[in-house]
Amino acid sequence: NIKNIDVLKIFLPFPVSKKIDNVLEKYSKILLIEENYPVLEYQIRNKPVSGRLTDNIPSEGELTVDKIINIISDFFFTSSPL
């Protein structure tokens, strides 16, 4: 159920806080959705996260609500684990 997914909103992606490691280690599967350039994803690319750099998020085009819902559903409910 998509309502059972934890969401963390980061307001200042650069520089990333070292506290992010504490959050990342709690989850086996992490989808990183960034509006434009993958600023945060580049900083934590040595962690098991998925996003634009892993082609889970389209690199071009607007991220509409419908697209985000489909991306989340595909990632958490139909894709294979990391």
Side-chain angles (χ1 to χ4, degrees), residues 25-72:
E25 66 187 24
K26 293 179 183 179
Y27 300 95
S28 61
K29 210 169 181 186
I30 298 169
L31 178 63
L32 188 57
I33 301 173
E34 296 184 76
E35 183 66 30
N36 295 311
Y37 192 74
V39 174
L40 183 58
E41 194 173 353
Y42 271 115
Q43 293 177 81
I44 59 173
R45 65 179 170 254
N46 61 336
K47 306 291 183 191
V49 299
S50 299
R52 289 188 192 272
L53 299 179
T54 58
D55 294 328
N56 293 92
I57 306 292
S59 59
E60 296 179 0
E62 183 180 0
L63 290 177
T64 64
V65 172
D66 289 337
K67 281 186 185 178
I68 292 173
I69 289 171
N70 287 333
I71 290 166
I72 290 170

Side-chain angles (χ1 to χ4, degrees), residues 6-17:
D6 291 336
V7 174
L8 173 65
K9 185 172 184 176
I10 298 175
F11 292 96
L12 186 63
F14 187 83
V16 66
S17 170

Side-chain angles (χ1 to χ4, degrees), residues 8 19-27 30:
L8 173 65
K19 293 179 184 178
I20 195 75
D21 290 337
N22 296 334
V23 173
L24 296 176
E25 66 187 24
K26 293 179 183 179
Y27 300 95
I30 298 169

